[in-house]
Amino acid sequence: MKIGITTGSPENNFATLLIHELKAFFPDFQIVILSTEKKGIRNFLRRIGFNKMMRLIRNRGNCSYLDREVKFKIGMVGSLYSYTKRLDIPYYSFSSFNAPESLKSINSFDLDYIINCGGGIFRKGFISSSKYGVLNAHMGKLPEIRGMNALEWSILKGVELGVTLHYIDSGIDTGNIISFKPLKLNVNDSIKLLRERSNLINIDLIVESFRNAKDHPILSEKQNEDKGEQHYIMHHALLQIVNEKLTYEKDNFNI
Amino acid sequence: MKLNVSYNYPQGVGDIDAEIVSNFRKMISPSLGALLNSDINKQAIDRLLLKVETNKKGLFGKIELWDEKPKIENTIALVCVFNKSFVEENDYRLLNASLKLLDLLMEDYYESIPQSFWPILKEEIDFILSRDFAL
């Protein structure tokens, strides 16, 4: 099995941990990194923006669940790039996944699956560039919560929290569903903590789906279009309501 | 739980009356006027939401929603459409879109809003701010 993992950044801890888990369960899997990042400090600053850079400087030393897991399981604090170098995993950089010259190379890799770990919007050519399809773990229940701020919209609308693994098609979160894993609320949960825990569930879900697959492509079901709703970036006033619900009304949640 | 958002109205904003509504309706595009008067189906709502999200600034450039050059009154009408649909559908995505449109109007076009449309806008804002979020 040959898997392509996308990334838009060489510091992608999610992709690092995913590779670690996939390699632990499937040592025979061949992994290839498909990256869209441009190297160099100027491009790094352009990519993350001034505000995020200031946040990174202020929060240096603060570890997310993902950082801790990477440190604990892999014993390293470093980039995806250095981890793949250590494991001798091929790392290919492209200006865009959708450019004709990129597609030509990607098609030549003969990938079975591609797993989305970032890197931008995928067009039709890229979506069909692997044998079985592109997998994406979405932080909300599909088809009910498609789109942006899925976690926040789930809380506002009282929809069960969790992660959905699905195939990517040309729509936004409209592809066939493989599986759903619920996310239980803890007493001290905040949006940030829930998002971090969702990331770990995303990885579990991807690995589990490969472990449970009796055949390929991994079985999936069409989404129920009647239930499908697209969501966009949540206004800060509604975000505040969500945070207050999470802080003061957790016991009343029906999710 | 109430929304913690406040908007400053110009001094002397009066009550809404039939003449204001009539003048307002004459100035918005026929397609938006029709939406305000009709039951809006799910597809129309999804299309409008997409327009708002992908054209936030471009709403004031030409989009297919209205027939000619879009105006501030068309954006106010869109807030009215979303608020009306929010009541009918209980769909919080519509309230989200209203809030974003109001931000756009208040931040970038406050000075250009015709005096006569302020009562309509005030009524729409008051409606949004009065929502109780004991969901």
Side-chain angles (χ1 to χ4, degrees), chain A residues 5-7 32-36 92 94 97 109 111 114 126:
Chain A
I5 291 183
T6 68
T7 183
V32 171
I33 304 295
L34 310 172
S35 165
T36 51
Y92 298 100
F94 303 96
F97 294 138
F109 298 155
L111 299 169
I114 293 173
F126 181 76

Side-chain angles (χ1 to χ4, degrees), chain A:
Chain A
M1 186 70 65
K2 197 171 181 186
I3 311 270
I5 291 183
T6 68
T7 183
S9 151
E11 301 90 25
N12 189 335
N13 264 349
F14 178 79
T16 305
L17 193 58
L18 176 63
I19 293 168
H20 173 80
E21 296 294 306
L22 284 173
K23 280 281 177 193
F25 286 102
F26 313 101
D28 296 339
F29 273 21
Q30 289 179 61
I31 291 173
V32 171
I33 304 295
L34 310 172
S35 165
T36 51
E37 96 272 2
K38 293 186 179 94
K39 295 189 175 68
I41 186 73
R42 190 179 292 177
N43 286 315
F44 174 74
L45 289 176
R46 195 174 294 156
R47 193 175 64 244
I48 69 166
F50 179 76
N51 288 342
K52 191 171 177 191
M53 188 187 73
M54 293 309 289
R55 220 167 36 242
L56 283 176
I57 293 170
R58 271 198 304 275
N59 294 339
R60 64 193 184 280
N62 290 356
C63 272
S64 69
Y65 278 120
L66 266 178
D67 296 335
R68 275 197 292 271
E69 287 283 307
V70 168
K71 211 168 168 182
F72 177 70
K73 289 188 169 170
I74 308 175
M76 64 173 272
V77 186
S79 65
L80 168 70
Y81 184 72
S82 54
Y83 179 62
T84 52
K85 218 169 173 182
R86 207 168 82 183
L87 295 191
D88 220 9
I89 291 173
Y91 195 107
Y92 298 100
S93 290
F94 303 96
S95 57
S96 152
F97 294 138
N98 305 306
E101 63 274 19
S102 312
L103 287 174
K104 209 172 164 188
S105 305
I106 295 165
N107 279 317
S108 73
F109 298 155
D110 283 328
L111 299 169
D112 292 301
Y113 288 95
I114 293 173
I115 302 174
N116 175 26
C117 294
I121 291 167
F122 304 149
R123 308 259 177 241
K124 270 183 188 164
F126 181 76
I127 292 169
S128 56
S129 66
S130 59
K131 190 173 174 188
Y132 299 124
V134 185
L135 304 181
N136 179 55
H138 171 73
M139 281 191 200
K141 192 170 189 181
L142 291 178
E144 289 89 339
I145 307 285
R146 291 173 177 161
M148 311 289 287
N149 283 133
L151 202 52
E152 290 86 344
W153 281 108
S154 302
I155 293 168
L156 187 72
K157 295 171 95 171
V159 174
E160 183 180 22
L161 298 180
V163 175
T164 309
L165 184 68
H166 66 99
Y167 285 100
I168 288 184
D169 66 6
S170 54
I172 299 170
D173 301 323
T174 52
N176 288 3
I177 294 170
I178 296 168
S179 54
F180 172 78
K181 196 165 190 171
L183 172 64
K184 294 271 174 274
L185 265 178
N186 291 339
V187 180
N188 295 319
D189 269 337
S190 61
I191 291 291
K192 186 171 176 277
L193 284 177
L194 282 169
R195 184 161 285 126
E196 288 184 10
R197 284 187 20 239
S198 289
N199 274 327
L200 298 182
I201 292 181
N202 288 354
I203 292 172
D204 283 351
L205 202 53
I206 294 168
V207 174
E208 254 176 39
S209 297
F210 278 107
R211 291 178 72 187
N212 295 338
K214 292 190 174 74
D215 210 348
H216 292 279
I218 300 169
L219 282 179
S220 63
E221 269 181 28
K222 254 187 160 327
Q223 294 196 22
N224 180 349
E225 275 311 311
D226 295 339
K227 287 185 178 177
E229 283 193 347
Q230 196 64 46
H231 296 78
Y232 302 98
I233 293 173
M234 191 180 268
H235 187 273
H236 60 84
L238 293 184
L239 279 177
Q240 199 174 331
I241 299 278
V242 167
N243 280 319
E244 286 184 27
K245 272 174 72 75
L246 209 47
T247 309
Y248 301 113
E249 293 186 12
K250 211 169 281 166
D251 295 343
N252 301 332
F253 273 21
N254 191 23
I255 52 181

Side-chain angles (χ1 to χ4, degrees), chain A residues 156 230 232-233 235 249, chain B residues 1 53 93 96 100 103 135:
Chain A
L156 187 72
Q230 196 64 46
Y232 302 98
I233 293 173
H235 187 273
E249 293 186 12
Chain B
M1 227 178 284
E53 295 298 333
R93 298 177 307 155
N96 196 50
K100 288 180 176 179
D103 279 358
L135 300 168

Side-chain angles (χ1 to χ4, degrees), chain B residues 1-117:
Chain B
M1 227 178 284
K2 303 275 185 192
L3 283 176
N4 188 18
V5 181
S6 61
Y7 294 103
N8 296 316
Y9 309 118
Q11 285 211 330
V13 173
D15 290 335
I16 195 163
D17 65 30
E19 198 188 338
I20 289 174
V21 174
S22 163
N23 286 338
F24 175 65
R25 285 182 182 247
K26 275 181 210 159
M27 297 188 78
I28 60 176
S29 77
S31 51
L32 267 177
L35 281 174
L36 261 174
N37 290 324
S38 64
D39 294 332
I40 304 170
N41 64 33
K42 194 176 178 305
Q43 282 77 19
I45 287 172
D46 285 350
R47 218 166 41 241
L48 286 175
L49 286 174
L50 185 67
K51 289 287 171 204
V52 170
E53 295 298 333
T54 53
N55 282 285
K56 242 175 278 162
K57 292 286 175 187
L59 276 171
F60 294 92
K62 195 168 189 228
I63 61 171
E64 67 185 44
L65 184 63
W66 28 78
D67 318 312
E68 52 191 41
K69 198 178 171 217
K71 305 177 197 80
I72 282 167
E73 44 270 39
N74 277 331
T75 308
I76 299 172
L78 199 49
V79 173
C80 301
V81 169
F82 282 142
N83 286 352
K84 175 177 173 272
S85 308
F86 171 62
V87 173
E88 289 165 3
E89 306 283 329
N90 199 29
D91 182 342
Y92 284 89
R93 298 177 307 155
L94 299 162
L95 196 64
N96 196 50
S98 275
L99 283 163
K100 288 180 176 179
L101 287 172
L102 287 174
D103 279 358
L104 197 68
L105 284 165
M106 295 304 182
E107 283 165 16
D108 297 347
Y109 298 92
Y110 188 89
E111 299 294 335
S112 316
I113 296 169
Q115 190 66 30
S116 60
F117 293 156

